[in-house]
């Protein structure tokens, strides 16, 4: 990974057809969170469809979407603003995941899968945010 968080062209994952945000390690990690949350919430009670299920999914997609939306903007200040929103959505997701687990909707297997995804996404997002503060 380059200092700015983007994949170098020499990386086997790099493709010239990728959108700029798709080359960011932070976006790819947060996209994995979205996929994991959607899979985990498929088994939630239908009574929670418009409650906890919806909130978890919206928080997860908000993280990746704010990174992507940032790529259409210019300037470090705006960049940090969108990354700040993504960090807030990540904190919301953490709270919702714990609530889902404590309420018995999220089983131990899904919890064990999602926590490392959330931690990695958070680490990469925070590094990207800090790199924009320099």
């Amino acid at each position: 990974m380059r200092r700015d968080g983007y994949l170098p062209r020499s990386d086997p994952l790099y493709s010239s057809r990728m959108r700029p945000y798709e080359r960011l390690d932070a976006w790819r990690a947060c996209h994995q969170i979205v996929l994991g949350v959607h899979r985990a919430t498929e088994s939630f009670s239908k009574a929670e469809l418009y409650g906890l299920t919806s909130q978890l999914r919206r928080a997860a997609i908000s993280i990746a979407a704010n990174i992507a939306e940032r790529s259409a903007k210019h300037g470090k200040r705006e960049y940090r603003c969108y990354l700040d929103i993504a960090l807030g959505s990540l904190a919301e997701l953490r709270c919702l995941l714990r609530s889902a687990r404590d309420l018995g909707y999220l089983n131990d297997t899904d919890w064990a899968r999602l926590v490392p995804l959330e931690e990695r996404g958070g680490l990469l997002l925070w590094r990207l945010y800090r790199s924009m503060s320099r």
Side-chain angles (χ1 to χ4, degrees):
M1 178 173 73
R2 292 183 347 198
R3 188 169 210 195
D4 60 4
Y6 283 94
L7 277 176
R9 289 182 187 264
S10 60
D11 193 297
L13 294 176
Y14 182 93
S15 164
S16 61
R17 293 182 178 179
M18 295 173 105
R19 302 275 185 220
Y21 63 85
E22 292 174 322
R23 294 184 187 126
L24 285 168
D25 289 331
W27 180 85
R28 288 196 318 280
C30 291
H31 180 66
Q32 291 303 310
I33 295 170
V34 173
L35 300 177
V37 165
H38 270 265
R39 288 181 188 119
T41 56
E42 286 174 354
S43 64
F44 281 22
S45 164
K46 296 301 174 204
E48 282 299 322
L49 186 60
Y50 299 106
L52 197 54
T53 302
S54 177
Q55 283 185 282
L56 276 161
R57 289 177 176 184
R58 282 184 293 150
I61 196 68
S62 178
I63 302 164
N66 274 291
I67 296 170
E69 187 173 354
R70 186 280 333 152
S71 72
K73 308 290 182 180
H74 299 286
K76 282 188 175 185
R77 191 168 164 178
E78 259 188 297
Y79 197 157
R80 283 193 309 266
C81 180
Y82 280 93
L83 295 178
D84 195 42
I85 293 167
L87 285 165
S89 294
L90 182 67
E92 179 184 5
L93 179 70
R94 286 178 180 151
C95 176
L96 292 167
L97 286 172
R98 180 168 298 276
S99 295
R101 186 193 67 174
D102 293 349
L103 289 167
Y105 291 115
L106 191 63
N107 64 45
D108 291 339
T109 304
D110 286 335
W111 172 260
R113 263 190 236 124
L114 288 171
V115 168
L117 292 176
E118 177 268 324
E119 288 174 347
R120 174 145 174 79
L123 174 69
L124 292 171
L125 182 56
W126 183 245
R127 283 182 183 169
L128 183 60
Y129 181 84
R130 280 192 16 224
S131 76
M132 289 296 107
S133 299
R134 293 184 187 138

